[in-house]
Amino acid sequence: MILSISGVVLLGIICFLFFRKDGLKLSHAFVCALFGFFLAGSAIAPSITASTTSLAALLGGIKL
């Protein structure tokens, strides 16, 4: 749960920066949000969740 909340916050910050600095139009942000909303309700959502969880575990295990 912590990963998903922080991921949403991170993506929200990135979208905000794109909106402010790189000219992301509000309509584009709205379409991206709708795409994410509908993708979360699809049959592929568990696979996406599993892959992001394993990627986070992989990145968390890297020792610098």
Side-chain angles (χ1 to χ4, degrees):
M1 184 61 147
I2 293 171
L3 176 65
S4 64
I5 291 173
S6 63
V8 167
V9 170
L10 178 65
L11 290 174
I13 290 170
I14 290 171
C15 285
F16 177 75
L17 290 175
F18 280 157
F19 180 71
R20 296 290 293 170
K21 301 290 182 193
D22 292 336
L24 177 71
K25 295 183 178 168
L26 189 57
S27 61
H28 297 154
F30 183 69
V31 169
C32 290
L34 281 177
F35 175 69
F37 177 76
F38 287 118
L39 186 63
S42 69
I44 198 170
S47 300
I48 294 171
T49 303
S51 16
T52 54
T53 302
S54 64
L55 179 65
L58 177 72
L59 293 176
I62 295 175
K63 304 286 185 194
L64 298 176

